[in-house]
Amino acid sequence: MIVTQPVGRYAASRKYDVLTALGAYALAQEKGMQRLVLRLLTLITARYNWKADELVVGRREMARLWCVDERTVKRETAKLRAMGWLEVKRPGVRGRITSYALRLDRVLEDTRMAWGNVGEDFEARMGMSTGEAPQQGSVVPFPGAAKPTPPDLTRGDVWSLALGLLYSEDAQSYGAWLRALSVHQTTGDRLLLMAPSRFHAHYVQTHLLDRVTRAVRSVEPELGRVALLYPGAEG
């Protein structure tokens, strides 16, 4: 899908089209997703810099805008990142707020199912604006290259949101190694994950643990450590 940023002569109408697509999608979803998309819509309308493709808003300001606490802000932004709708453009450090970019390609791909609810004219216009190829294309996808099914983010717990982030970063590693892990226990600042076998646990420990730990910390900074277990090693 080819998506250009909404700049130039028709920028204003394109912005409204994106917001309309988000609103129509939200109205077709269950209550939890409706609330999440409404929060994103409000954030985009109030603070998104379309020209710079940048959203720079502090966690405290987001909490005030959304009428929630900062812990909820962390969870909701992690969920939006896991969905692939937001991505970190510039990480926050001491004295500098995290900068996010809106992934228009992913937003439009995910909201496509609701375009027809707005009207045939809107659906046709959105299809043209994204450079959509005809449905009768001759390209046949190679079965082995198919992406695994993304994780369920509706639970909103730390591990499911961390899995969403890991999926958005590397779907193949997620499918081969990470989706088979489950939460065994959370103790203090440590998240203990259960792997299906000793070999599986060793591979993740050796090759993917740093990535997993970063994803978990991104969702819940208080969890600073991640460890692996396998059946028979619970003691």
Side-chain angles (χ1 to χ4, degrees), residues 18-234:
V18 171
L19 298 177
T20 299
L22 282 167
Y25 173 80
L27 291 170
Q29 304 303 307
E30 48 79 30
K31 188 180 297 184
M33 181 57 70
Q34 285 182 350
R35 185 169 54 242
L36 177 64
V37 179
L38 174 61
R39 286 169 174 164
L40 178 61
L41 267 169
T42 307
L43 198 59
I44 291 172
T45 306
R47 289 288 181 264
Y48 201 77
N49 184 332
W50 292 94
K51 186 175 181 179
D53 184 25
E54 191 172 51
L55 175 68
V56 185
V57 185
R59 196 174 291 159
R60 184 177 302 175
E61 187 178 357
M62 279 193 206
R64 184 173 62 249
L65 178 63
W66 291 351
C67 299
V68 298
D69 57 28
E70 292 187 33
R71 187 181 185 88
T72 300
V73 169
K74 285 190 292 185
R75 294 292 179 88
E76 295 287 73
T77 52
K79 189 176 294 185
L80 289 166
R81 288 172 54 207
M83 291 166 60
W85 288 17
L86 282 182
E87 65 180 359
V88 174
K89 191 172 182 179
R90 186 177 62 246
V93 294
R94 186 179 296 276
R96 189 177 70 187
I97 298 172
T98 300
S99 168
Y100 297 96
L102 184 64
R103 284 281 309 279
L104 279 179
D105 55 344
R106 185 61 180 272
V107 168
L108 295 180
E109 180 182 342
D110 289 350
T111 60
R112 178 187 299 272
M113 49 80 70
W115 293 355
N117 296 346
V118 182
E120 292 183 1
D121 58 330
F122 181 81
E123 189 171 23
R125 184 168 71 251
M126 292 298 283
M128 288 188 294
S129 71
T130 57
E132 186 178 75
Q135 292 297 317
Q136 299 86 355
S138 58
V139 178
V140 179
F142 181 64
K147 293 180 74 171
T149 303
D152 179 12
L153 304 177
T154 58
R155 291 179 299 168
D157 60 277
V158 171
W159 181 234
S160 64
L161 294 181
L163 279 177
L165 294 176
L166 292 164
Y167 174 86
S168 67
E169 293 173 358
D170 185 351
Q172 297 308 315
S173 291
Y174 161 82
W177 299 102
L178 302 176
R179 67 177 170 184
L181 304 177
S182 60
V183 176
H184 177 73
Q185 188 179 20
T186 301
T187 306
D189 68 342
R190 186 177 70 161
L191 177 65
L192 198 55
L193 299 174
M194 177 64 73
S197 68
R198 180 176 181 176
F199 173 77
H200 199 113
H202 178 73
Y203 184 92
V204 174
Q205 182 85 30
T206 303
H207 300 284
L208 301 171
L209 187 61
D210 287 346
R211 190 185 304 175
V212 170
T213 302
R214 284 196 302 271
V216 169
R217 285 176 179 169
S218 181
V219 178
E220 181 50 78
E222 294 177 4
L223 290 175
R225 297 183 297 158
V226 177
L228 277 296
L229 275 179
Y230 53 89
E234 293 91 336

